[in-house]
Amino acid sequence: MIDRIDHIVLTTRDRDACIRFYTGILGMRLEKFTTPTEERLALKFGNQKINLHEWGREFDPRAHVPVPGSLDLCFIASAPLEEVIAKLAGAGVRIMQGPVMKTGAAGPIRSVYVRDPDLNLIEISVPAGPELAQSPAISTSTRSAAA
């Protein structure tokens, strides 16, 4: 019955910091769109988007308790994980954990974990081949980038 996720909604305390993180660091595109009652903002990537709600000014309908920092998202990167790590480090984003092996929707993935400006947990991953899935050095390692 369900085929895919079209969009999710992120509630943010600081719209500008949120937009800078997702566009400037993660490379998403900011899009403005209108509904019959208001103008809205979304972060686009691939065939998906993240609609933005500002905390205390959410659009209806909305989640029962929309709060900043409550999301745990995993994004599949279009670049090698080493490039992702370098980009995060260059932007001063602390890597909380990783690279580590995890299980994604389509199979094994290598991941790093960071926090966005609202403290949502953001996992950035790449598909992992079977040779990496067996590597104990990768599956148990953690690292921090310079903040």
Short mmCIF file of all heavy atoms in Angstrom, two decimals, residues 9-20 22 51-58 65-71 115-120:
data_model
loop_
_atom_site.label_atom_id
_atom_site.label_comp_id
_atom_site.label_asym_id
_atom_site.label_seq_id
_atom_site.Cartn_x
_atom_site.Cartn_y
_atom_site.Cartn_z
N VAL A 9 8.42 16.76 8.09
CA VAL A 9 8.36 18.13 8.60
C VAL A 9 9.35 18.26 9.75
O VAL A 9 9.36 17.43 10.67
CB VAL A 9 6.94 18.50 9.06
CG1 VAL A 9 6.93 19.90 9.68
CG2 VAL A 9 5.97 18.41 7.90
N LEU A 10 10.19 19.26 9.68
CA LEU A 10 11.17 19.57 10.72
C LEU A 10 10.73 20.85 11.40
O LEU A 10 10.51 21.86 10.74
CB LEU A 10 12.54 19.74 10.08
CG LEU A 10 13.74 19.95 10.99
CD1 LEU A 10 14.99 19.42 10.31
CD2 LEU A 10 13.93 21.39 11.38
N THR A 11 10.59 20.79 12.71
CA THR A 11 10.26 21.98 13.51
C THR A 11 11.57 22.56 14.03
O THR A 11 12.36 21.86 14.66
CB THR A 11 9.33 21.61 14.67
OG1 THR A 11 8.14 21.02 14.14
CG2 THR A 11 8.96 22.84 15.49
N THR A 12 11.80 23.84 13.76
CA THR A 12 13.06 24.48 14.13
C THR A 12 12.84 25.68 15.04
O THR A 12 11.84 26.39 14.92
CB THR A 12 13.85 24.91 12.88
OG1 THR A 12 15.08 25.51 13.29
CG2 THR A 12 13.08 25.89 12.01
N ARG A 13 13.79 25.91 15.94
CA ARG A 13 13.78 27.11 16.78
C ARG A 13 14.41 28.29 16.03
O ARG A 13 14.06 29.43 16.28
CB ARG A 13 14.61 26.87 18.04
CG ARG A 13 13.94 26.12 19.11
CD ARG A 13 14.81 26.14 20.38
NE ARG A 13 14.09 25.59 21.49
CZ ARG A 13 14.10 24.32 21.83
NH1 ARG A 13 14.82 23.46 21.15
NH2 ARG A 13 13.41 23.90 22.86
N ASP A 14 15.38 27.99 15.16
CA ASP A 14 16.14 29.03 14.48
C ASP A 14 16.15 28.74 12.98
O ASP A 14 16.98 28.00 12.48
CB ASP A 14 17.57 29.06 15.04
CG ASP A 14 18.42 30.18 14.49
OD1 ASP A 14 18.13 30.71 13.38
OD2 ASP A 14 19.42 30.53 15.14
N ARG A 15 15.20 29.33 12.29
CA ARG A 15 15.02 29.07 10.86
C ARG A 15 16.28 29.33 10.06
O ARG A 15 16.69 28.51 9.23
CB ARG A 15 13.86 29.90 10.31
CG ARG A 15 13.57 29.62 8.84
CD ARG A 15 12.48 30.48 8.32
NE ARG A 15 13.02 31.83 8.14
CZ ARG A 15 12.35 32.82 7.59
NH1 ARG A 15 11.12 32.66 7.21
NH2 ARG A 15 12.91 33.99 7.44
N ASP A 16 16.95 30.45 10.31
CA ASP A 16 18.14 30.80 9.53
C ASP A 16 19.29 29.82 9.76
O ASP A 16 19.95 29.39 8.81
CB ASP A 16 18.59 32.23 9.84
CG ASP A 16 17.58 33.26 9.37
OD1 ASP A 16 16.79 32.95 8.45
OD2 ASP A 16 17.57 34.37 9.92
N ALA A 17 19.54 29.43 11.01
CA ALA A 17 20.60 28.45 11.30
C ALA A 17 20.26 27.10 10.68
O ALA A 17 21.13 26.41 10.15
CB ALA A 17 20.81 28.32 12.81
N CYS A 18 19.01 26.72 10.74
CA CYS A 18 18.55 25.47 10.15
C CYS A 18 18.80 25.47 8.64
O CYS A 18 19.36 24.52 8.09
CB CYS A 18 17.06 25.28 10.46
SG CYS A 18 16.34 23.80 9.77
N ILE A 19 18.42 26.54 7.98
CA ILE A 19 18.60 26.65 6.53
C ILE A 19 20.09 26.63 6.18
O ILE A 19 20.50 25.95 5.24
CB ILE A 19 17.90 27.91 5.99
CG1 ILE A 19 16.38 27.74 6.08
CG2 ILE A 19 18.34 28.22 4.55
CD1 ILE A 19 15.59 29.01 5.84
N ARG A 20 20.91 27.33 6.95
CA ARG A 20 22.37 27.32 6.69
C ARG A 20 22.94 25.91 6.80
O ARG A 20 23.75 25.50 5.98
CB ARG A 20 23.09 28.26 7.66
CG ARG A 20 23.09 29.71 7.26
CD ARG A 20 24.07 30.54 8.10
NE ARG A 20 23.84 30.43 9.53
CZ ARG A 20 22.97 31.19 10.22
NH1 ARG A 20 22.26 32.11 9.61
NH2 ARG A 20 22.84 31.02 11.51
N TYR A 22 21.40 22.87 6.52
CA TYR A 22 20.93 21.93 5.50
C TYR A 22 21.30 22.34 4.08
O TYR A 22 21.52 21.48 3.23
CB TYR A 22 19.43 21.69 5.64
CG TYR A 22 19.11 20.82 6.83
CD1 TYR A 22 18.76 21.38 8.06
CD2 TYR A 22 19.19 19.44 6.74
CE1 TYR A 22 18.50 20.58 9.16
CE2 TYR A 22 18.93 18.63 7.83
CZ TYR A 22 18.59 19.21 9.04
OH TYR A 22 18.34 18.41 10.13
N ASN A 51 9.83 19.83 4.83
CA ASN A 51 9.11 21.08 5.05
C ASN A 51 9.53 21.65 6.40
O ASN A 51 9.72 20.90 7.36
CB ASN A 51 7.60 20.85 5.03
CG ASN A 51 7.07 20.54 3.65
OD1 ASN A 51 7.74 20.77 2.65
ND2 ASN A 51 5.87 20.00 3.59
N LEU A 52 9.69 22.96 6.46
CA LEU A 52 10.10 23.62 7.70
C LEU A 52 8.91 24.25 8.41
O LEU A 52 8.08 24.91 7.78
CB LEU A 52 11.14 24.71 7.41
CG LEU A 52 12.47 24.24 6.86
CD1 LEU A 52 13.40 25.43 6.64
CD2 LEU A 52 13.11 23.22 7.77
N HIS A 53 8.85 24.03 9.70
CA HIS A 53 7.92 24.72 10.59
C HIS A 53 8.75 25.44 11.64
O HIS A 53 9.72 24.88 12.16
CB HIS A 53 7.01 23.74 11.33
CG HIS A 53 5.88 23.21 10.53
ND1 HIS A 53 4.81 22.57 11.11
CD2 HIS A 53 5.64 23.20 9.21
CE1 HIS A 53 3.96 22.20 10.18
NE2 HIS A 53 4.45 22.57 9.01
N GLU A 54 8.40 26.67 11.93
CA GLU A 54 9.06 27.38 13.02
C GLU A 54 8.31 27.09 14.31
O GLU A 54 7.08 27.16 14.36
CB GLU A 54 9.09 28.88 12.75
CG GLU A 54 10.07 29.24 11.65
CD GLU A 54 10.21 30.74 11.50
OE1 GLU A 54 10.85 31.35 12.37
OE2 GLU A 54 9.68 31.27 10.52
N TRP A 55 9.07 26.74 15.36
CA TRP A 55 8.48 26.39 16.64
C TRP A 55 7.59 27.52 17.14
O TRP A 55 7.99 28.69 17.16
CB TRP A 55 9.59 26.08 17.63
CG TRP A 55 9.14 25.45 18.89
CD1 TRP A 55 8.24 24.45 19.04
CD2 TRP A 55 9.58 25.78 20.20
NE1 TRP A 55 8.09 24.11 20.35
CE2 TRP A 55 8.91 24.91 21.09
CE3 TRP A 55 10.48 26.70 20.71
CZ2 TRP A 55 9.11 24.95 22.46
CZ3 TRP A 55 10.69 26.73 22.07
CH2 TRP A 55 10.01 25.88 22.94
N GLY A 56 6.38 27.19 17.51
CA GLY A 56 5.42 28.18 17.98
C GLY A 56 4.61 28.82 16.86
O GLY A 56 3.65 29.54 17.11
N ARG A 57 5.02 28.57 15.60
CA ARG A 57 4.30 29.11 14.44
C ARG A 57 4.05 28.01 13.40
O ARG A 57 4.16 28.24 12.21
CB ARG A 57 5.08 30.26 13.81
CG ARG A 57 5.16 31.48 14.72
CD ARG A 57 5.72 32.65 13.98
NE ARG A 57 7.13 32.74 14.31
CZ ARG A 57 7.99 33.51 13.69
NH1 ARG A 57 7.62 34.25 12.68
NH2 ARG A 57 9.25 33.55 14.07
N GLU A 58 3.76 26.80 13.89
CA GLU A 58 3.56 25.67 13.00
C GLU A 58 2.31 25.86 12.16
O GLU A 58 1.37 26.55 12.55
CB GLU A 58 3.43 24.37 13.81
CG GLU A 58 4.67 24.01 14.59
CD GLU A 58 4.72 24.65 15.97
OE1 GLU A 58 3.79 25.38 16.36
OE2 GLU A 58 5.72 24.45 16.67
N VAL A 65 2.64 16.96 19.04
CA VAL A 65 3.55 17.74 19.87
C VAL A 65 4.80 18.07 19.03
O VAL A 65 5.82 17.40 19.14
CB VAL A 65 3.95 16.97 21.15
CG1 VAL A 65 4.84 17.85 22.03
CG2 VAL A 65 2.74 16.49 21.92
N PRO A 66 4.73 19.10 18.19
CA PRO A 66 5.89 19.44 17.35
C PRO A 66 6.96 20.17 18.16
O PRO A 66 6.71 21.25 18.68
CB PRO A 66 5.29 20.34 16.28
CG PRO A 66 4.10 20.96 16.93
CD PRO A 66 3.60 19.96 17.94
N VAL A 67 8.12 19.55 18.31
CA VAL A 67 9.19 20.17 19.08
C VAL A 67 10.51 20.06 18.34
O VAL A 67 10.80 19.05 17.70
CB VAL A 67 9.34 19.53 20.49
CG1 VAL A 67 8.13 19.84 21.35
CG2 VAL A 67 9.56 18.04 20.40
N PRO A 68 11.34 21.10 18.42
CA PRO A 68 12.67 21.03 17.83
C PRO A 68 13.52 19.97 18.52
O PRO A 68 13.39 19.74 19.72
CB PRO A 68 13.24 22.43 18.08
CG PRO A 68 12.06 23.30 18.31
CD PRO A 68 11.04 22.41 18.98
N GLY A 69 14.37 19.32 17.75
CA GLY A 69 15.31 18.37 18.31
C GLY A 69 14.79 16.97 18.51
O GLY A 69 15.46 16.14 19.13
N SER A 70 13.61 16.65 18.01
CA SER A 70 13.03 15.33 18.26
C SER A 70 13.21 14.35 17.10
O SER A 70 12.79 13.20 17.19
CB SER A 70 11.54 15.46 18.60
OG SER A 70 10.84 16.00 17.50
N LEU A 71 13.85 14.79 16.00
CA LEU A 71 14.01 13.91 14.84
C LEU A 71 15.31 13.12 14.91
O LEU A 71 16.31 13.57 15.46
CB LEU A 71 14.00 14.73 13.55
CG LEU A 71 12.69 15.43 13.18
CD1 LEU A 71 12.86 16.22 11.90
CD2 LEU A 71 11.57 14.43 13.05
N ARG A 115 24.80 16.42 14.94
CA ARG A 115 23.58 17.13 15.38
C ARG A 115 23.39 18.35 14.51
O ARG A 115 24.35 19.04 14.16
CB ARG A 115 23.71 17.58 16.84
CG ARG A 115 23.84 16.47 17.83
CD ARG A 115 22.51 16.03 18.34
NE ARG A 115 22.69 14.95 19.31
CZ ARG A 115 21.73 14.12 19.64
NH1 ARG A 115 20.53 14.27 19.12
NH2 ARG A 115 21.95 13.16 20.50
N ASP A 116 22.14 18.64 14.16
CA ASP A 116 21.84 19.88 13.45
C ASP A 116 21.67 21.00 14.48
O ASP A 116 21.78 20.76 15.69
CB ASP A 116 20.65 19.71 12.50
CG ASP A 116 19.29 19.69 13.19
OD1 ASP A 116 19.20 19.84 14.44
OD2 ASP A 116 18.29 19.53 12.47
N PRO A 117 21.42 22.25 14.05
CA PRO A 117 21.31 23.35 15.02
C PRO A 117 20.21 23.18 16.07
O PRO A 117 20.27 23.76 17.15
CB PRO A 117 21.04 24.58 14.14
CG PRO A 117 21.68 24.23 12.84
CD PRO A 117 21.44 22.75 12.67
N ASP A 118 19.18 22.37 15.77
CA ASP A 118 18.11 22.11 16.73
C ASP A 118 18.37 20.86 17.56
O ASP A 118 17.51 20.43 18.33
CB ASP A 118 16.76 21.99 16.01
CG ASP A 118 16.29 23.33 15.49
OD1 ASP A 118 16.04 24.23 16.32
OD2 ASP A 118 16.19 23.49 14.26
N LEU A 119 19.54 20.25 17.39
CA LEU A 119 19.97 19.05 18.09
C LEU A 119 19.27 17.77 17.61
O LEU A 119 19.29 16.74 18.30
CB LEU A 119 19.85 19.19 19.61
CG LEU A 119 20.63 20.36 20.20
CD1 LEU A 119 20.44 20.43 21.71
CD2 LEU A 119 22.11 20.26 19.85
N ASN A 120 18.66 17.81 16.42
CA ASN A 120 18.17 16.59 15.81
C ASN A 120 19.37 15.70 15.52
O ASN A 120 20.45 16.20 15.18
CB ASN A 120 17.42 16.88 14.50
CG ASN A 120 16.13 17.62 14.74
OD1 ASN A 120 15.25 17.14 15.42
ND2 ASN A 120 16.05 18.83 14.20
#
